[in-house]
């Protein structure tokens, strides 16, 4: 059984926790985790960790927006709002 079976994949608040679970399984040493997206089944491996983490962050932010909460972002060192060389 794949991690996303039976979920409403249009709801980011339901999807990101399951993808987070897959991410943690891969970090714990599993070689691959099977995830089903609609009709397609995908096997995620350790090589996909950064991509998977980015997708989780996007889904979390979408969930927060859906619930009326704002995501917080930190300004990184060297941030220049006018662009480089300004």
């Amino acid at each position: 059984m794949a991690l996303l079976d039976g979920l409403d994949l249009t709801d980011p608040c339901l999807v990101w926790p399951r993808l987070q679970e897959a991410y943690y399984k891969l970090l714990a040493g599993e070689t691959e985790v099977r995830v089903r997206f609609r009709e397609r089944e995908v096997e995620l491996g350790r090589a996909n960790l950064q991509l998977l983490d980015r997708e989780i962050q996007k889904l979390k932010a979408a969930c927060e927006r859906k619930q009326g909460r704002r995501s917080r972002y930190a300004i990184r060192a060297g941030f220049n709002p006018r662009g480089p060389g300004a």
Side-chain angles (χ1 to χ4, degrees):
M1 182 171 179
L3 282 173
L4 299 179
D5 281 349
L7 284 184
D8 176 8
L9 298 177
T10 61
D11 186 351
C13 298
L14 296 176
V15 176
W16 81 259
R18 295 286 182 93
L19 289 181
Q20 186 79 49
E21 180 183 336
Y23 180 79
Y24 287 141
K25 284 182 178 185
L26 290 169
L27 282 179
E30 287 194 31
T31 55
E32 51 188 46
V33 177
R34 189 170 298 211
V35 178
R36 183 182 309 263
F37 289 98
R38 293 179 182 91
E39 317 74 52
R40 239 176 55 167
E41 193 165 295
V42 178
E43 289 183 6
L44 300 170
R46 293 187 58 81
N48 305 94
L49 283 176
Q50 283 184 324
L51 180 63
L52 181 58
D53 187 46
R54 276 186 285 189
E55 189 62 28
I56 290 167
Q57 297 311 314
K58 284 194 289 187
L59 288 166
K60 277 184 181 180
C63 178
E64 288 178 356
R65 283 192 305 275
K66 181 180 177 185
Q67 295 175 342
R69 289 187 269 164
R70 290 184 54 181
S71 298
R72 295 184 180 173
Y73 297 98
I75 297 175
R76 297 182 188 152
F79 176 77
N80 185 347
R82 294 184 213 136

